[in-house]
Amino acid sequence: MANNVVLLGAQWGDEGKGKIVDLLTERADAVARFQGGHNAGHTLVIGGQKTVLHLIPSGAMRPGVDCLIGNGVVVNIEQLLKEIDNLKSMDIEIENRLMLSMACPIILPHHIALDLAREKAKGKKAIGTTGRGIGPCYEDKVARRGLRLGDLFNAKLFAEKLREVMDYHNHALVQYFKQQAVDYQQTLDSIMPLVERLRPMIGDVSERIYNLRQNNKSVMFEGAQGMLLDVDHGTYPYVTSSNTVAAAAAIGTGIGPLELDHVLGVVKAYTTRVGSGPFPTELFDEVGQWLGEKGHEFGATTGRPRRCGWLDAVALKRTRQVSGLNALCVTKLDVMDGLEVVKICTSYQYKGESITLPPYGADALGECTPVYETMPGWKEVTAGVRDYESLPTNAKKYLGRISELIGLPIDIVSTGAERDDTMVLKHPFINQG
């Protein structure tokens, strides 16, 4: 029986994780975010109504499901409250079932200013961040100068710490980047009135998850971004600022790794990437344009168009290896409808050799040439199909080949944006509910 399930993106993010979390939490008691910040964008479509969540876990749309934000998540307080108020406007009460760890680092205005200044200074070598202060906030955490949610409840000490860290960063902003300093008093005055509203929502997330486990309750751990953006194992330096692998679920919430029972990797039927960095299977032809237009490939957080390409089985094998995936969920199969042929990258040519695992680092990956296996496409419409046997024969062959190449079963197939446009062949919460 699986009680604790990790769901993560197996590519460069934007795989449709939010929809799958929302779907599977029909059998979960809580959903926990464990890394990233409001650079995530999880889009949910339920009954034709679209909701985009950035910080609040995707279990928010399920009444009675606890929503937990672990210590590995960096929090922009204003963004958090904005999401809460937006859910309230939809008659979704979240505050009484939302808990944030006291150890969550706080994103502050100077983090955003630094993020934007650095990207501007890099010019063509910019990483392609969302400009929301995520990286600088994580830097402060590692440098042990960051402010955390728990610090808010000692107003005097918080003010002292804030002044010290802002003096440090304003020096860099003014002297090195030639930008304006961020006003200390304005920053302090914007935060302190929010403390009392936050107070009931801040607690010990580690203890909450431990107690849920002890009472045989089920927790879904919701990853943000994707494994190939992991700060250690992704296409460094074109990566996010946190660990996106499955093991981060334990560190980012405060539980032991043996408490994680099942890891589900979410993968599109093709591949996309936002921002800079190498992308071996990227398409610059009409097929790439087809995938982008038909798949509505624009970032939920930034609105930026996503780069599109064929499915990359080589990169997926790295995710399987690093995150210990137990199964796959394939999304957006319907976007492939109508293509004459479909392709899967099965190996790379790298320095005259054939390799089946991607090399570490962006420079090495940028030197790789994809080798493809071509399969016949399908003309039939898969959009909205909810029975596996009703899928076109060639679509089933395509899914079967993905499973064979990665060495994992495909337990879930998604054929549309709606919650119910999904085939759950095997539920990760085994024997639950």
Side-chain angles (χ1 to χ4, degrees), residues 215-228:
N215 288 286
N216 201 34
K217 301 295 185 181
S218 299
V219 180
M220 171 72 76
F221 294 81
E222 179 182 14
Q225 290 83 49
M227 202 298 293
L228 299 175

Side-chain angles (χ1 to χ4, degrees), residues 7 15-25 41-45 53 57-59 61 222-223 266:
L7 182 144
E15 300 94 349
K17 298 180 290 296
K19 170 194 168 170
I20 305 303
V21 171
D22 167 67
L23 175 78
L24 297 179
T25 48
H42 292 174
T43 302
L44 313 176
V45 181
L53 299 173
S58 298
M61 311 303 285
E222 179 182 14
V266 184

Side-chain angles (χ1 to χ4, degrees), residues 65-311:
V65 173
D66 286 348
C67 292
L68 311 175
I69 297 179
N71 54 276
V73 178
V74 291
V75 175
N76 180 307
I77 296 172
E78 290 185 355
Q79 172 66 33
L80 174 74
L81 297 178
K82 180 180 177 181
E83 284 188 41
I84 290 172
D85 290 339
N86 183 54
L87 289 171
K88 275 188 172 181
S89 72
M90 300 164 60
D91 295 324
I92 298 171
E93 180 54 50
I94 189 68
E95 289 185 65
N96 60 357
R97 53 192 176 99
L98 177 65
M99 177 185 282
L100 296 92
S101 170
M102 297 183 72
C104 286
I106 303 172
I107 297 175
L108 295 160
H110 57 266
H111 293 134
I112 299 169
L114 279 167
D115 204 353
L116 295 172
R118 288 173 180 173
E119 286 288 89
K120 181 180 179 181
K122 286 179 182 290
K124 292 183 179 180
K125 294 182 179 180
I127 293 170
T129 76
T130 59
R132 301 195 171 196
I134 310 296
C137 185
Y138 275 118
E139 289 174 35
D140 274 359
K141 169 185 173 177
V142 175
R144 294 165 292 187
R145 59 174 171 256
L147 291 163
R148 310 198 296 181
L149 289 178
D151 292 323
L152 291 169
F153 305 114
N154 185 328
K156 181 180 179 182
L157 187 59
F158 180 85
E160 292 174 358
K161 288 182 177 181
L162 180 65
R163 183 180 291 280
E164 182 179 345
V165 74
M166 288 191 69
D167 285 346
Y168 175 83
H169 287 305
N170 274 331
H171 179 78
L173 279 169
V174 174
Q175 299 300 322
Y176 184 79
F177 292 108
K178 310 303 180 186
Q179 302 293 316
Q180 288 187 338
V182 178
D183 187 84
Y184 161 76
Q185 195 61 49
Q186 185 176 344
T187 300
L188 183 64
D189 291 345
S190 67
I191 293 173
M192 296 317 293
L194 307 177
V195 172
E196 288 310 308
R197 186 177 177 190
L198 282 172
R199 189 185 294 273
M201 295 181 277
I202 297 176
D204 191 334
V205 168
S206 174
E207 180 185 37
R208 173 67 70 87
I209 295 175
Y210 178 82
N211 288 337
L212 286 166
R213 177 72 162 188
Q214 292 301 107
N215 288 286
N216 201 34
K217 301 295 185 181
S218 299
V219 180
M220 171 72 76
F221 294 81
E222 179 182 14
Q225 290 83 49
M227 202 298 293
L228 299 175
L229 292 175
D230 184 274
V231 70
D232 288 300
H233 299 285
T235 49
Y236 189 91
Y238 299 98
V239 292
T240 195
S241 304
S242 58
N243 286 111
T244 59
V245 295
I251 298 170
T253 57
I255 65 168
L258 295 181
E259 302 299 300
L260 304 175
D261 302 300
H262 186 88
V263 183
L264 179 66
V266 184
V267 52
K268 278 178 181 167
Y270 48 102
T271 309
T272 64
R273 177 166 195 168
V274 171
S276 305
F279 182 0
T281 66
E282 184 172 9
L283 294 169
F284 300 95
D285 58 11
E286 65 276 5
V287 176
Q289 185 176 356
W290 164 292
L291 294 173
E293 292 177 356
K294 193 173 179 184
H296 306 290
E297 295 297 352
F298 297 91
T301 297
T302 63
R304 292 181 294 182
R306 297 175 185 140
R307 301 153 64 189
C308 298
W310 294 118
L311 186 81

Side-chain angles (χ1 to χ4, degrees), residues 361-382:
D363 293 338
L365 188 59
E367 296 178 18
C368 292
T369 301
V371 177
Y372 293 111
E373 180 177 307
T374 300
M375 301 179 67
W378 54 93
K379 293 293 185 181
E380 302 95 326
V381 175
T382 67

Side-chain angles (χ1 to χ4, degrees), residues 43-60:
T43 302
L44 313 176
V45 181
I46 302 166
Q49 183 172 14
K50 178 180 175 180
T51 303
V52 180
L53 299 173
H54 300 279
L55 266 174
I56 293 176
S58 298

